[in-house]
Amino acid sequence: QVSDSKLRIKEKPQYRSEDILATIRLEIVTVEKEVYSEEVNILVAPGIDGELAILPNHAPLLTQLNAGEIKIRREDEENFISVSGGFLEVLGNKITILADTAERSEEIDVERAEQAVMRAKQRIESSTSDLDLERAVASLRRSQFRAKVGRRRSTRRRRDRG
């Protein structure tokens, strides 16, 4: 027979997310400019083998990035950046992204991005060689990501009051 005192289960302590949010330094740069430089809580990036999430104190990493959307969470704010490829390095408690091109969501002209999608689709239809088709498809993917990110805007998440 087991006594009640041995069956007691410790309750997990309740933490508010803002009490335990560690940070990691994020720098996103292109040849032309520094696009982003802040302490962040989490980064989700389009790695060559799929999306990858980087949290503070991540193990060292060097990987290639595909064209896509970078999601950044910093305290109660989310930001979105479109990249056309590049490299991501995690070393120490710092993430460095060397991007071919990178644009914050608020910098993207959505109408122009959607026009670029239409032009890329036309190029796909009229391509005469495999090389033309490959370039047109790559252009379409980049344009679609730019349009998607441009439609998003930085957001603030509501904190639970309790």
PDB file of all heavy atoms in Angstrom, residues 115-142:
ATOM      1  N   GLN A 115       2.552  42.910 -59.200  1.00  0.00           N
ATOM      2  CA  GLN A 115       2.828  43.059 -60.633  1.00  0.00           C
ATOM      3  C   GLN A 115       4.026  42.185 -61.039  1.00  0.00           C
ATOM      4  O   GLN A 115       4.026  41.580 -62.113  1.00  0.00           O
ATOM      5  CB  GLN A 115       3.107  44.524 -60.980  1.00  0.00           C
ATOM      6  CG  GLN A 115       1.877  45.408 -60.914  1.00  0.00           C
ATOM      7  CD  GLN A 115       2.208  46.887 -61.036  1.00  0.00           C
ATOM      8  OE1 GLN A 115       3.371  47.279 -61.127  1.00  0.00           O
ATOM      9  NE2 GLN A 115       1.174  47.723 -61.037  1.00  0.00           N
ATOM     10  N   ALA A 116       5.018  42.096 -60.167  1.00  0.00           N
ATOM     11  CA  ALA A 116       6.179  41.252 -60.441  1.00  0.00           C
ATOM     12  C   ALA A 116       5.770  39.774 -60.496  1.00  0.00           C
ATOM     13  O   ALA A 116       6.304  39.002 -61.300  1.00  0.00           O
ATOM     14  CB  ALA A 116       7.261  41.470 -59.383  1.00  0.00           C
ATOM     15  N   VAL A 117       4.807  39.383 -59.672  1.00  0.00           N
ATOM     16  CA  VAL A 117       4.289  38.016 -59.716  1.00  0.00           C
ATOM     17  C   VAL A 117       3.654  37.753 -61.080  1.00  0.00           C
ATOM     18  O   VAL A 117       3.910  36.717 -61.704  1.00  0.00           O
ATOM     19  CB  VAL A 117       3.263  37.761 -58.571  1.00  0.00           C
ATOM     20  CG1 VAL A 117       2.517  36.446 -58.789  1.00  0.00           C
ATOM     21  CG2 VAL A 117       3.951  37.778 -57.210  1.00  0.00           C
ATOM     22  N   MET A 118       2.854  38.693 -61.551  1.00  0.00           N
ATOM     23  CA  MET A 118       2.189  38.535 -62.859  1.00  0.00           C
ATOM     24  C   MET A 118       3.222  38.451 -63.993  1.00  0.00           C
ATOM     25  O   MET A 118       3.103  37.616 -64.891  1.00  0.00           O
ATOM     26  CB  MET A 118       1.211  39.687 -63.114  1.00  0.00           C
ATOM     27  CG  MET A 118       0.047  39.740 -62.119  1.00  0.00           C
ATOM     28  SD  MET A 118      -0.886  38.195 -62.004  1.00  0.00           S
ATOM     29  CE  MET A 118      -1.533  38.073 -63.647  1.00  0.00           C
ATOM     30  N   ARG A 119       4.244  39.310 -63.945  1.00  0.00           N
ATOM     31  CA  ARG A 119       5.292  39.273 -64.974  1.00  0.00           C
ATOM     32  C   ARG A 119       6.040  37.944 -64.958  1.00  0.00           C
ATOM     33  O   ARG A 119       6.327  37.362 -66.009  1.00  0.00           O
ATOM     34  CB  ARG A 119       6.280  40.431 -64.780  1.00  0.00           C
ATOM     35  CG  ARG A 119       5.751  41.781 -65.233  1.00  0.00           C
ATOM     36  CD  ARG A 119       6.858  42.828 -65.303  1.00  0.00           C
ATOM     37  NE  ARG A 119       7.606  42.967 -64.059  1.00  0.00           N
ATOM     38  CZ  ARG A 119       7.262  43.755 -63.046  1.00  0.00           C
ATOM     39  NH1 ARG A 119       6.161  44.504 -63.131  1.00  0.00           N
ATOM     40  NH2 ARG A 119       8.001  43.837 -61.968  1.00  0.00           N
ATOM     41  N   ALA A 120       6.320  37.431 -63.773  1.00  0.00           N
ATOM     42  CA  ALA A 120       7.033  36.152 -63.658  1.00  0.00           C
ATOM     43  C   ALA A 120       6.181  35.014 -64.220  1.00  0.00           C
ATOM     44  O   ALA A 120       6.696  34.125 -64.905  1.00  0.00           O
ATOM     45  CB  ALA A 120       7.404  35.885 -62.200  1.00  0.00           C
ATOM     46  N   LYS A 121       4.880  35.050 -63.974  1.00  0.00           N
ATOM     47  CA  LYS A 121       3.989  34.027 -64.526  1.00  0.00           C
ATOM     48  C   LYS A 121       3.973  34.082 -66.049  1.00  0.00           C
ATOM     49  O   LYS A 121       3.980  33.042 -66.721  1.00  0.00           O
ATOM     50  CB  LYS A 121       2.570  34.189 -63.971  1.00  0.00           C
ATOM     51  CG  LYS A 121       2.440  33.749 -62.529  1.00  0.00           C
ATOM     52  CD  LYS A 121       1.027  33.946 -62.013  1.00  0.00           C
ATOM     53  CE  LYS A 121       0.901  33.487 -60.560  1.00  0.00           C
ATOM     54  NZ  LYS A 121      -0.451  33.703 -60.031  1.00  0.00           N
ATOM     55  N   GLN A 122       3.983  35.296 -66.594  1.00  0.00           N
ATOM     56  CA  GLN A 122       4.020  35.445 -68.057  1.00  0.00           C
ATOM     57  C   GLN A 122       5.341  34.909 -68.620  1.00  0.00           C
ATOM     58  O   GLN A 122       5.358  34.274 -69.671  1.00  0.00           O
ATOM     59  CB  GLN A 122       3.827  36.917 -68.447  1.00  0.00           C
ATOM     60  CG  GLN A 122       2.428  37.419 -68.181  1.00  0.00           C
ATOM     61  CD  GLN A 122       2.306  38.934 -68.324  1.00  0.00           C
ATOM     62  OE1 GLN A 122       3.298  39.642 -68.483  1.00  0.00           O
ATOM     63  NE2 GLN A 122       1.079  39.439 -68.251  1.00  0.00           N
ATOM     64  N   ARG A 123       6.439  35.181 -67.901  1.00  0.00           N
ATOM     65  CA  ARG A 123       7.747  34.666 -68.346  1.00  0.00           C
ATOM     66  C   ARG A 123       7.781  33.144 -68.329  1.00  0.00           C
ATOM     67  O   ARG A 123       8.383  32.516 -69.201  1.00  0.00           O
ATOM     68  CB  ARG A 123       8.873  35.227 -67.468  1.00  0.00           C
ATOM     69  CG  ARG A 123       9.186  36.692 -67.781  1.00  0.00           C
ATOM     70  CD  ARG A 123      10.285  37.260 -66.926  1.00  0.00           C
ATOM     71  NE  ARG A 123      11.475  36.423 -66.872  1.00  0.00           N
ATOM     72  CZ  ARG A 123      12.317  36.400 -65.852  1.00  0.00           C
ATOM     73  NH1 ARG A 123      12.096  37.161 -64.799  1.00  0.00           N
ATOM     74  NH2 ARG A 123      13.373  35.628 -65.878  1.00  0.00           N
ATOM     75  N   ILE A 124       7.113  32.540 -67.361  1.00  0.00           N
ATOM     76  CA  ILE A 124       7.057  31.078 -67.298  1.00  0.00           C
ATOM     77  C   ILE A 124       6.319  30.533 -68.518  1.00  0.00           C
ATOM     78  O   ILE A 124       6.759  29.578 -69.156  1.00  0.00           O
ATOM     79  CB  ILE A 124       6.388  30.604 -65.985  1.00  0.00           C
ATOM     80  CG1 ILE A 124       7.342  30.847 -64.807  1.00  0.00           C
ATOM     81  CG2 ILE A 124       5.988  29.128 -66.068  1.00  0.00           C
ATOM     82  CD1 ILE A 124       6.721  30.612 -63.449  1.00  0.00           C
ATOM     83  N   GLU A 125       5.195  31.158 -68.852  1.00  0.00           N
ATOM     84  CA  GLU A 125       4.392  30.711 -69.997  1.00  0.00           C
ATOM     85  C   GLU A 125       5.135  30.866 -71.322  1.00  0.00           C
ATOM     86  O   GLU A 125       4.953  30.073 -72.231  1.00  0.00           O
ATOM     87  CB  GLU A 125       3.073  31.476 -70.040  1.00  0.00           C
ATOM     88  CG  GLU A 125       2.127  31.122 -68.913  1.00  0.00           C
ATOM     89  CD  GLU A 125       0.888  32.013 -68.870  1.00  0.00           C
ATOM     90  OE1 GLU A 125       0.684  32.818 -69.805  1.00  0.00           O
ATOM     91  OE2 GLU A 125       0.123  31.888 -67.898  1.00  0.00           O
ATOM     92  N   SER A 126       5.970  31.888 -71.405  1.00  0.00           N
ATOM     93  CA  SER A 126       6.637  32.158 -72.683  1.00  0.00           C
ATOM     94  C   SER A 126       8.106  31.700 -72.713  1.00  0.00           C
ATOM     95  O   SER A 126       8.806  31.998 -73.674  1.00  0.00           O
ATOM     96  CB  SER A 126       6.566  33.651 -72.997  1.00  0.00           C
ATOM     97  OG  SER A 126       7.304  34.389 -72.049  1.00  0.00           O
ATOM     98  N   SER A 127       8.551  30.977 -71.695  1.00  0.00           N
ATOM     99  CA  SER A 127       9.953  30.559 -71.664  1.00  0.00           C
ATOM    100  C   SER A 127      10.248  29.577 -72.796  1.00  0.00           C
ATOM    101  O   SER A 127       9.436  28.724 -73.129  1.00  0.00           O
ATOM    102  CB  SER A 127      10.313  29.951 -70.316  1.00  0.00           C
ATOM    103  OG  SER A 127       9.581  28.785 -70.093  1.00  0.00           O
ATOM    104  N   THR A 128      11.426  29.745 -73.399  1.00  0.00           N
ATOM    105  CA  THR A 128      11.793  28.924 -74.560  1.00  0.00           C
ATOM    106  C   THR A 128      12.885  27.905 -74.245  1.00  0.00           C
ATOM    107  O   THR A 128      13.164  27.052 -75.070  1.00  0.00           O
ATOM    108  CB  THR A 128      12.279  29.837 -75.714  1.00  0.00           C
ATOM    109  OG1 THR A 128      13.375  30.616 -75.252  1.00  0.00           O
ATOM    110  CG2 THR A 128      11.157  30.722 -76.201  1.00  0.00           C
ATOM    111  N   SER A 129      13.478  27.996 -73.069  1.00  0.00           N
ATOM    112  CA  SER A 129      14.521  27.028 -72.708  1.00  0.00           C
ATOM    113  C   SER A 129      14.392  26.677 -71.233  1.00  0.00           C
ATOM    114  O   SER A 129      13.694  27.352 -70.473  1.00  0.00           O
ATOM    115  CB  SER A 129      15.908  27.618 -72.975  1.00  0.00           C
ATOM    116  OG  SER A 129      16.194  28.648 -72.039  1.00  0.00           O
ATOM    117  N   ASP A 130      15.071  25.615 -70.845  1.00  0.00           N
ATOM    118  CA  ASP A 130      15.057  25.198 -69.442  1.00  0.00           C
ATOM    119  C   ASP A 130      15.648  26.277 -68.542  1.00  0.00           C
ATOM    120  O   ASP A 130      15.162  26.509 -67.449  1.00  0.00           O
ATOM    121  CB  ASP A 130      15.845  23.892 -69.260  1.00  0.00           C
ATOM    122  CG  ASP A 130      15.108  22.692 -69.827  1.00  0.00           C
ATOM    123  OD1 ASP A 130      13.899  22.819 -70.125  1.00  0.00           O
ATOM    124  OD2 ASP A 130      15.748  21.635 -69.991  1.00  0.00           O
ATOM    125  N   LEU A 131      16.680  26.950 -69.024  1.00  0.00           N
ATOM    126  CA  LEU A 131      17.310  28.010 -68.248  1.00  0.00           C
ATOM    127  C   LEU A 131      16.339  29.173 -68.045  1.00  0.00           C
ATOM    128  O   LEU A 131      16.212  29.696 -66.935  1.00  0.00           O
ATOM    129  CB  LEU A 131      18.596  28.495 -68.919  1.00  0.00           C
ATOM    130  CG  LEU A 131      19.378  29.572 -68.178  1.00  0.00           C
ATOM    131  CD1 LEU A 131      19.783  29.097 -66.780  1.00  0.00           C
ATOM    132  CD2 LEU A 131      20.606  29.981 -68.966  1.00  0.00           C
ATOM    133  N   ASP A 132      15.635  29.562 -69.105  1.00  0.00           N
ATOM    134  CA  ASP A 132      14.627  30.626 -68.979  1.00  0.00           C
ATOM    135  C   ASP A 132      13.547  30.228 -67.984  1.00  0.00           C
ATOM    136  O   ASP A 132      13.118  31.039 -67.157  1.00  0.00           O
ATOM    137  CB  ASP A 132      13.969  30.922 -70.338  1.00  0.00           C
ATOM    138  CG  ASP A 132      14.874  31.664 -71.291  1.00  0.00           C
ATOM    139  OD1 ASP A 132      15.882  32.236 -70.839  1.00  0.00           O
ATOM    140  OD2 ASP A 132      14.562  31.672 -72.509  1.00  0.00           O
ATOM    141  N   LEU A 133      13.101  28.991 -68.075  1.00  0.00           N
ATOM    142  CA  LEU A 133      12.052  28.499 -67.181  1.00  0.00           C
ATOM    143  C   LEU A 133      12.538  28.500 -65.732  1.00  0.00           C
ATOM    144  O   LEU A 133      11.824  28.949 -64.828  1.00  0.00           O
ATOM    145  CB  LEU A 133      11.613  27.092 -67.589  1.00  0.00           C
ATOM    146  CG  LEU A 133      10.518  26.465 -66.730  1.00  0.00           C
ATOM    147  CD1 LEU A 133       9.245  27.314 -66.767  1.00  0.00           C
ATOM    148  CD2 LEU A 133      10.230  25.049 -67.186  1.00  0.00           C
ATOM    149  N   GLU A 134      13.757  28.028 -65.513  1.00  0.00           N
ATOM    150  CA  GLU A 134      14.318  27.986 -64.161  1.00  0.00           C
ATOM    151  C   GLU A 134      14.414  29.387 -63.559  1.00  0.00           C
ATOM    152  O   GLU A 134      14.045  29.617 -62.407  1.00  0.00           O
ATOM    153  CB  GLU A 134      15.703  27.339 -64.208  1.00  0.00           C
ATOM    154  CG  GLU A 134      16.315  27.068 -62.855  1.00  0.00           C
ATOM    155  CD  GLU A 134      17.657  26.365 -62.978  1.00  0.00           C
ATOM    156  OE1 GLU A 134      17.791  25.458 -63.803  1.00  0.00           O
ATOM    157  OE2 GLU A 134      18.568  26.763 -62.214  1.00  0.00           O
ATOM    158  N   ARG A 135      14.886  30.333 -64.340  1.00  0.00           N
ATOM    159  CA  ARG A 135      14.993  31.722 -63.861  1.00  0.00           C
ATOM    160  C   ARG A 135      13.615  32.323 -63.594  1.00  0.00           C
ATOM    161  O   ARG A 135      13.421  33.044 -62.614  1.00  0.00           O
ATOM    162  CB  ARG A 135      15.748  32.566 -64.885  1.00  0.00           C
ATOM    163  CG  ARG A 135      17.219  32.274 -64.915  1.00  0.00           C
ATOM    164  CD  ARG A 135      17.920  33.121 -65.938  1.00  0.00           C
ATOM    165  NE  ARG A 135      19.355  32.855 -65.954  1.00  0.00           N
ATOM    166  CZ  ARG A 135      20.158  33.236 -66.907  1.00  0.00           C
ATOM    167  NH1 ARG A 135      19.697  33.908 -67.944  1.00  0.00           N
ATOM    168  NH2 ARG A 135      21.450  32.960 -66.838  1.00  0.00           N
ATOM    169  N   ALA A 136      12.662  32.030 -64.454  1.00  0.00           N
ATOM    170  CA  ALA A 136      11.303  32.569 -64.288  1.00  0.00           C
ATOM    171  C   ALA A 136      10.642  32.001 -63.033  1.00  0.00           C
ATOM    172  O   ALA A 136       9.969  32.731 -62.291  1.00  0.00           O
ATOM    173  CB  ALA A 136      10.471  32.268 -65.523  1.00  0.00           C
ATOM    174  N   VAL A 137      10.847  30.712 -62.781  1.00  0.00           N
ATOM    175  CA  VAL A 137      10.273  30.094 -61.580  1.00  0.00           C
ATOM    176  C   VAL A 137      10.912  30.693 -60.320  1.00  0.00           C
ATOM    177  O   VAL A 137      10.212  30.999 -59.347  1.00  0.00           O
ATOM    178  CB  VAL A 137      10.442  28.555 -61.620  1.00  0.00           C
ATOM    179  CG1 VAL A 137      10.106  27.933 -60.274  1.00  0.00           C
ATOM    180  CG2 VAL A 137       9.566  27.954 -62.715  1.00  0.00           C
ATOM    181  N   ALA A 138      12.221  30.891 -60.328  1.00  0.00           N
ATOM    182  CA  ALA A 138      12.904  31.507 -59.186  1.00  0.00           C
ATOM    183  C   ALA A 138      12.394  32.930 -58.961  1.00  0.00           C
ATOM    184  O   ALA A 138      12.148  33.348 -57.825  1.00  0.00           O
ATOM    185  CB  ALA A 138      14.417  31.511 -59.401  1.00  0.00           C
ATOM    186  N   SER A 139      12.197  33.657 -60.054  1.00  0.00           N
ATOM    187  CA  SER A 139      11.660  35.021 -59.968  1.00  0.00           C
ATOM    188  C   SER A 139      10.243  35.011 -59.400  1.00  0.00           C
ATOM    189  O   SER A 139       9.889  35.861 -58.580  1.00  0.00           O
ATOM    190  CB  SER A 139      11.677  35.668 -61.355  1.00  0.00           C
ATOM    191  OG  SER A 139      11.078  36.926 -61.314  1.00  0.00           O
ATOM    192  N   LEU A 140       9.441  34.044 -59.827  1.00  0.00           N
ATOM    193  CA  LEU A 140       8.073  33.925 -59.317  1.00  0.00           C
ATOM    194  C   LEU A 140       8.082  33.674 -57.811  1.00  0.00           C
ATOM    195  O   LEU A 140       7.342  34.329 -57.077  1.00  0.00           O
ATOM    196  CB  LEU A 140       7.328  32.800 -60.044  1.00  0.00           C
ATOM    197  CG  LEU A 140       5.921  32.500 -59.527  1.00  0.00           C
ATOM    198  CD1 LEU A 140       4.997  33.701 -59.710  1.00  0.00           C
ATOM    199  CD2 LEU A 140       5.344  31.279 -60.226  1.00  0.00           C
ATOM    200  N   ARG A 141       8.917  32.756 -57.348  1.00  0.00           N
ATOM    201  CA  ARG A 141       8.981  32.456 -55.909  1.00  0.00           C
ATOM    202  C   ARG A 141       9.377  33.690 -55.102  1.00  0.00           C
ATOM    203  O   ARG A 141       8.762  34.011 -54.088  1.00  0.00           O
ATOM    204  CB  ARG A 141       9.976  31.327 -55.635  1.00  0.00           C
ATOM    205  CG  ARG A 141       9.475  29.971 -56.102  1.00  0.00           C
ATOM    206  CD  ARG A 141      10.333  28.826 -55.623  1.00  0.00           C
ATOM    207  NE  ARG A 141      10.182  28.701 -54.179  1.00  0.00           N
ATOM    208  CZ  ARG A 141      11.208  28.632 -53.323  1.00  0.00           C
ATOM    209  NH1 ARG A 141      12.442  28.680 -53.751  1.00  0.00           N
ATOM    210  NH2 ARG A 141      10.994  28.514 -52.036  1.00  0.00           N
ATOM    211  N   ARG A 142      10.418  34.396 -55.567  1.00  0.00           N
ATOM    212  CA  ARG A 142      10.850  35.607 -54.848  1.00  0.00           C
ATOM    213  C   ARG A 142       9.731  36.646 -54.816  1.00  0.00           C
ATOM    214  O   ARG A 142       9.473  37.251 -53.779  1.00  0.00           O
ATOM    215  CB  ARG A 142      12.095  36.203 -55.513  1.00  0.00           C
ATOM    216  CG  ARG A 142      13.369  35.437 -55.253  1.00  0.00           C
ATOM    217  CD  ARG A 142      14.601  36.215 -55.714  1.00  0.00           C
ATOM    218  NE  ARG A 142      14.536  36.628 -57.103  1.00  0.00           N
ATOM    219  CZ  ARG A 142      14.962  35.919 -58.139  1.00  0.00           C
ATOM    220  NH1 ARG A 142      15.494  34.728 -57.943  1.00  0.00           N
ATOM    221  NH2 ARG A 142      14.869  36.390 -59.363  1.00  0.00           N
TER     222      ARG A 142
END
